Amino acid sequence: MQWRYDDMETFVQVVRCGGVTGAAKHLTLTKSVISKRIRDFELALGLQLFQRLPGRLEPTEAGEALYDRIAPLLGELHEAVEDMLPTKGDTLRGRLRISTPMSFGILYLGPVIADFGRQHPGLEIAVDYDDRPVSLAQGGYDVAVRIGHFEDSSLKTRTLGECERLICCSPDYAQRRGLPTRVADLAEHDAIDYALVHARRFWQFEGPQGEPVTVAMRSRILANNGEAIRDMAIAGLGIASLPAFLVAEPIRKGLLVALPLELRQRPYTMAALYPNTRHVPAKVRGFIDHLVRMLQLHAPEEAPAGGKNAARKAKPAPVRRPNT
């Protein structure tokens, strides 16, 4: 018995989707067809590719190794075919899967993505809003927009700009607990922390010479969404470290104040991440170039000046095409 291309593609989708149900939905096939293709593929290879667990399939060691080898190859095959499809003018075709952070994606990227979709009516676009780190390969994403630090990323990275971080609290909290002016004083205050980043409850600042200065925070509240953290800070529940674009409006309205600390936190980098392949699909290049242009024209909102820790407008990166 020989393996078939359809069986191989189905195997990749089952791994990415975490089971038969998700793969069936993605491929618009019945679950029975998906299950049969997986069984046929295993028989053809003489390997067990999955462990059958209640409600899900877990790749075996052989399954993970096979997936790591063939998933990028299938991706390049699809991209090569899509790039050869006839187009009208500069219109892109195929399917573009995008992963973005929740708050930034909803506040700023919705109109950007919509404008890109209008320019390319032959392109299908799927957007997932999620603050959690995702695997582009396992999730089947073409590109991810992320805000953070990416030195160790194995993906290609296109910098979109910088995003200042502000330490904020409500006027009520400042009146009750005092307004810290030194980083060392933060350890005595209640923190509202971002669960997906500050799991160890440490905040890091840049010293006078750029050296890291770390403070152990007392995290009273943990949340996995920036807007929820902002709203809890407005309610007076503690001090929060947030991107400037989330707190600009509350600071202008007097609902939050930026702490005038002697040190600042390292700004986040806004970046587009995409697979490290030799050939970058036209749809990915086009979308990233569009992101850069739009963020130069409409950079995330700056917070009003006030103190050494006040926000600055996001600094767009120069327009450069990604390395291919």
Side-chain angles (χ1 to χ4, degrees):
M1 184 177 182
Q2 294 186 344
W3 58 266
R4 297 170 301 186
Y5 174 83
D6 286 347
D7 297 342
M8 182 167 55
E9 186 175 41
T10 300
F11 160 73
V12 168
Q13 290 302 329
V14 169
V15 175
R16 284 178 176 169
C17 298
V20 170
T21 301
K25 183 177 180 181
H26 182 86
L27 295 172
T28 62
L29 296 170
T30 65
K31 291 191 287 185
S32 61
V33 169
I34 298 295
S35 297
K36 183 178 186 306
R37 286 184 177 182
I38 292 300
R39 287 195 302 270
D40 289 347
F41 196 39
E42 289 179 321
L43 287 172
L45 298 179
L47 294 171
Q48 182 180 350
L49 300 175
F50 293 99
Q51 296 179 17
R52 273 70 175 175
L53 302 174
R56 62 190 176 95
L57 296 179
E58 188 76 26
T60 61
E61 184 176 346
E64 289 181 352
L66 182 61
Y67 175 85
D68 291 340
R69 293 288 300 275
I70 68 174
L73 298 175
L74 283 177
E76 290 191 21
L77 179 61
H78 281 282
E79 291 159 7
V81 172
E82 288 175 359
D83 283 353
M84 295 302 296
L85 291 173
T87 61
K88 295 180 179 179
D90 293 330
T91 298
L92 300 172
R93 300 182 67 87
R95 181 179 175 87
L96 181 68
R97 293 204 66 201
I98 305 166
S99 173
T100 81
M102 181 72 71
S103 299
F104 184 73
I106 291 173
L107 290 172
Y108 289 99
L109 292 187
V112 173
I113 295 171
D115 184 63
F116 188 69
R118 281 193 297 270
Q119 293 179 28
H120 303 283
L123 188 67
E124 296 180 18
I125 299 175
V127 187
D128 283 349
Y129 295 92
D130 197 334
D131 287 341
R132 293 173 297 179
V134 297
S135 167
L136 267 66
Q138 290 190 0
Y141 298 107
D142 297 294
V143 61
V145 178
R146 286 289 175 260
I147 298 176
H149 305 304
F150 311 102
E151 294 90 339
D152 299 328
S153 176
S154 60
L155 301 168
K156 285 188 177 181
T157 302
R158 176 83 177 273
T159 299
L160 304 172
E162 281 190 350
C163 180
E164 193 77 5
R165 299 158 71 186
L166 285 178
I167 312 294
C168 298
C169 70
S170 70
D172 174 67
Y173 180 92
Q175 185 176 15
R176 287 185 290 109
R177 301 288 300 274
L179 191 68
T181 58
R182 297 187 310 134
V183 166
D185 296 335
L186 294 176
E188 303 302 318
H189 286 262
D190 295 330
I192 307 168
D193 235 333
Y194 190 48
L196 299 179
V197 174
H198 300 297
R200 296 182 180 177
R201 320 293 191 263
F202 291 104
W203 288 6
Q204 193 171 88
F205 295 80
E206 291 184 319
Q209 306 302 320
E211 73 278 11
V213 176
T214 302
V215 181
M217 298 298 294
R218 187 172 59 209
S219 298
R220 179 189 176 194
I221 297 174
L222 288 175
N224 65 353
N225 178 264
E227 289 170 297
I229 293 172
R230 178 199 61 195
D231 292 346
M232 292 180 193
I234 291 173
L237 298 180
I239 291 172
S241 170
L242 288 166
F245 69 81
L246 275 180
V247 296
E249 187 65 19
I251 288 175
R252 263 197 298 274
K253 292 181 176 179
L255 301 175
L256 287 174
V257 292
L259 276 56
L261 301 172
E262 84 281 18
L263 302 178
R264 72 167 193 165
Q265 291 186 306
R266 178 183 172 192
Y268 283 133
T269 297
M270 296 186 294
L273 282 65
Y274 54 104
N276 189 7
T277 58
R278 288 176 296 177
H279 172 72
V280 179
K283 61 186 178 183
V284 174
R285 294 197 307 269
F287 178 66
I288 293 174
D289 286 346
H290 178 76
L291 277 178
V292 172
R293 286 193 299 269
M294 295 301 288
L295 287 177
Q296 283 184 326
L297 292 172
H298 309 286
E301 193 174 19
E302 65 179 352
K308 297 179 182 179
N309 198 31
R312 297 194 299 268
K313 195 171 185 178
K315 305 170 185 175
V319 177
R320 293 189 301 269
R321 296 188 71 82
N323 295 328
T324 58

